[in-house]
Amino acid sequence: MKIGIMDSGIGGLSVLHEALHLLPEAEYLFYADVDHVPYGLKTPSQILGYVTEITEFLIDKKCDIIVVACNTATAVAIENLRSRFDIPIVGMEPAVKPAVLHSNDKRVMVMATPVTIRENKLKMLIARVDEEHKCDLLPMPRLVNFAEMEMFEEPEVYDYVKSELNAYKLSDYSELVLGCTHFNYFKPCFRSFFGPDIELIDGNRGTVKHLADVLGMDVCTEEKKIIYDKPFDLIYNSGVVYYASGRVINDENMLTHIMRLHNRLEEVRGI
Ligand code: DGL
């Protein structure tokens, strides 16, 4: 079973990382569209063009199923892709529903890219599940760039998040929805502003469980750490082939970068 996972960049690695935990037996092709990141500042027709090309590439590489590990691309293109390609396609959706359900008398903040926030898909989801109008939407496009530069703990990141949150009373919130797969890397930063009680909800586990359902596979319940200490383990021992916009990744620098990102994701997983 070969699973193709795509994103504009390293956000999709957080979905792959969860998939390696829950479906460790599968074979993976991971595609980061580094030539076009960030999608969140592109037009819908540009994004549709990129993901169409990636879908064709993944089909050509004999993937059995595709995961669009990008909320932005899902919001813009998933219906279109499903109508044009026969292969099963799983998308991402900001986890607004569980957040609203868990929120009791508190509010829910949904962080995403500007495109995801403007698109109808999220508006319709919120109209469906947020009867009491508890959700506040916050675009955080610079986090995508910070993530791509592997900047997670730098003062610039904390200053940016602080300034974007300035207008909100953070004690009103019990739930923070990470509506962009790039945002998983910043969990410690979010927690530092919202405090220890905030629930950080990303859609990764739900998406991988849905993927398992579609494939008729059982998820692995054994909890083990996925940490790499040798960059070449990423290609020889993990069952994943990594691509940067159609070019296979096999140089040590890039693999070391990806290795550090997996290790970061493992470190922030339970936060
Ligand atoms: N990781 C993507 C998402 O989930 C897209 C980020 C971007 O390229 O702007 O929305």
Side-chain angles (χ1 to χ4, degrees), residues 134-255:
K134 291 175 153 206
C135 289
D136 295 311
L137 303 179
L138 185 59
M140 296 289 274
R142 286 189 61 200
L143 287 184
V144 176
N145 298 81
F146 284 133
E148 290 296 322
M149 290 187 287
E150 217 181 320
M151 291 170 67
F152 308 122
E153 293 297 336
E154 278 69 4
E156 292 96 307
V157 174
Y158 280 71
D159 289 348
Y160 170 61
V161 174
K162 187 177 182 192
S163 68
E164 294 302 311
L165 293 176
N166 212 8
Y168 300 90
K169 190 170 161 223
L170 301 188
S171 57
D172 286 350
Y173 295 85
S174 66
E175 316 297 314
L176 174 58
V177 176
L178 308 182
C180 168
T181 50
H182 277 77
F183 295 174
N184 287 278
Y185 297 94
F186 300 99
K187 285 179 177 175
C189 173
F190 300 140
R191 206 169 267 298
S192 78
F193 289 108
F194 283 91
D197 295 335
I198 191 82
E199 189 181 20
L200 305 175
I201 313 188
D202 65 68
N204 290 358
R205 207 176 167 82
T207 300
V208 177
K209 283 192 164 166
H210 177 57
L211 169 68
D213 281 350
V214 175
L215 294 172
M217 289 169 84
D218 290 327
V219 295
C220 172
T221 48
E222 186 200 330
E223 262 305 322
K224 60 173 177 36
K225 292 229 173 284
I226 298 182
I227 302 228
Y228 298 97
D229 49 22
K230 290 192 219 69
F232 285 100
D233 279 354
L234 284 178
I235 45 178
Y236 297 125
N237 291 322
S238 73
V240 188
V241 182
Y242 294 88
Y243 283 85
S245 296
R247 303 174 295 276
V248 70
I249 298 176
N250 49 22
D251 75 278
E252 194 168 354
N253 281 346
M254 278 294 285
L255 291 169

Side-chain angles (χ1 to χ4, degrees), residues 7-8 11 37-40 70-72 113 116 144 179-182:
D7 182 34
S8 60
V37 67
Y39 282 3
C70 174
N71 293 268
T72 310
T113 67
T116 303
V144 176
C180 168
T181 50
H182 277 77

